[in-house]
Amino acid sequence: MAIVPPEQVREDLDEFCAPRRTALPDLRWTDAFQWHLTLAFLPDVLDADLDELTDRLADAAARRRPPDARLAGGGVFPDATRAKVLWTGVEATADDRAELDRLSVGCRNAAVAAGTTVEGRGFTPHVTLARLACPADASGLLEVFGTYVGPSWRAAGIELVASYLGEGPGRRPRYETLAELPLGRR
C-alpha cells in the first residue's frame, strides 16, 4: 500500500535529483515515475486474498482524512556510516503526521485481517531515491539532500501496488497499481 505523490511533486524532486544522478552514477537511482510512500509492505499476497484485502484497505482508507504533506530532507537506511538506501522524508504538521501514522496502522491491520503477512518494522514516511551497491558513509549525501524542500500536496488516496522484482528497466522493480482507494469517504 502506498501514497503516490502527484506528478508536480515528483517533477520538482526529479529536478533536484537530476544533477546528483550525474555526479553520483554509482548509485542505483529509482525512476521518478516509480516514487511512492510505502504505508505497509506485503511481501506475498495470494490471488485468493486480493479481493478481501482490497475491500479491507478501502474501508481503512475511508476512515482516514486526506493529510497534507511535502517531501523534504534526506535520510538513509540503516544509518549514515553504513548506508544502503537514500531517501527523502515526508514533512507534515503534527496532526497530518498522526493521520499518516494511523493510515499506515490501518493498512497493516487490514492486511493481517485479510490473511496477508506484513513485513517491516515501524512506519518511517519516506520515498526511496537510490540504493548503494555496498554500505558506505553517506554523510555527504545527507548534507546535500537535507537541503531539499518540495511543494506541499494533499494525499487524496492510497494505491495497492504490486512489485515485480527485476522486471523493470535495468532489472529494477516494476510496479503495477492494482487498486486506487480514496481517503476520507466516510
Side-chain angles (χ1 to χ4, degrees), residues 39-96:
L39 296 165
F41 181 72
L42 314 177
D44 293 303
V45 177
L46 300 174
D47 287 341
D49 295 335
L50 195 54
D51 288 341
E52 182 179 356
L53 174 62
T54 303
D55 290 345
R56 289 181 181 274
L57 288 173
D59 187 49
R63 294 172 192 250
R64 303 276 47 104
R65 70 169 174 76
D68 292 323
R70 71 176 173 195
L71 300 178
V76 293
F77 292 129
D79 63 56
T81 61
R82 50 194 176 100
K84 293 177 83 175
V85 175
L86 170 66
W87 49 266
T88 189
V90 177
E91 283 186 352
T93 65
D95 287 344
D96 285 327

Side-chain angles (χ1 to χ4, degrees), residues 87-166:
W87 49 266
T88 189
V90 177
E91 283 186 352
T93 65
D95 287 344
D96 285 327
R97 172 56 202 260
E99 196 65 20
L100 286 169
D101 290 343
R102 288 189 289 269
L103 180 58
S104 176
V105 169
C107 288
R108 289 170 157 278
N109 290 343
V112 170
T116 301
T117 302
V118 178
E119 193 173 276
R121 292 173 278 181
F123 175 59
T124 301
H126 72 280
V127 171
T128 298
L129 300 175
R131 298 184 187 281
L132 289 78
C134 299
D137 186 317
S139 302
L141 285 172
L142 291 174
E143 239 177 83
V144 170
F145 281 88
T147 66
Y148 178 73
V149 177
S152 295
W153 91 93
R154 176 163 289 161
I158 64 173
E159 296 183 15
L160 178 57
V161 178
S163 175
Y164 303 96
L165 300 179

